[in-house]
Amino acid sequence: HQYGLAIDLVAYDVKSKPIEIFSPEYHEIGRIGRGMGLAWGGSWGWDWGHFELADWREVAMEGLFDR
């Protein structure tokens, strides 16, 4: 997260109430994220609000963050 390679999110319904984490909506959010090339924490069976670059290790190793 600190390098901008991962994000956690909370989904809300139209009444601004948080959506239950194991709901079908999170499956849809995960499907969309995976379609964008992201790794989804729900694929691991936990961390349903988590997304990260699928290749974050390669990106980090490229020295992109050496400043």
Side-chain angles (χ1 to χ4, degrees), residues 6-54:
I7 187 171
D8 290 319
L9 61 87
V10 175
Y12 291 86
D13 66 16
V14 296
K15 296 180 181 178
S16 298
K17 292 181 69 175
I19 295 174
E20 190 67 36
I21 196 76
F22 300 113
S23 69
E25 289 88 351
Y26 271 93
H27 281 279
E28 179 65 10
I29 292 167
R31 184 191 66 76
I32 293 167
R34 287 190 317 266
M36 297 171 63
L38 299 172
W40 175 49
S43 297
W44 312 322
W46 72 92
D47 212 356
W48 290 52
H50 178 88
F51 290 91
E52 62 186 47
L53 290 180

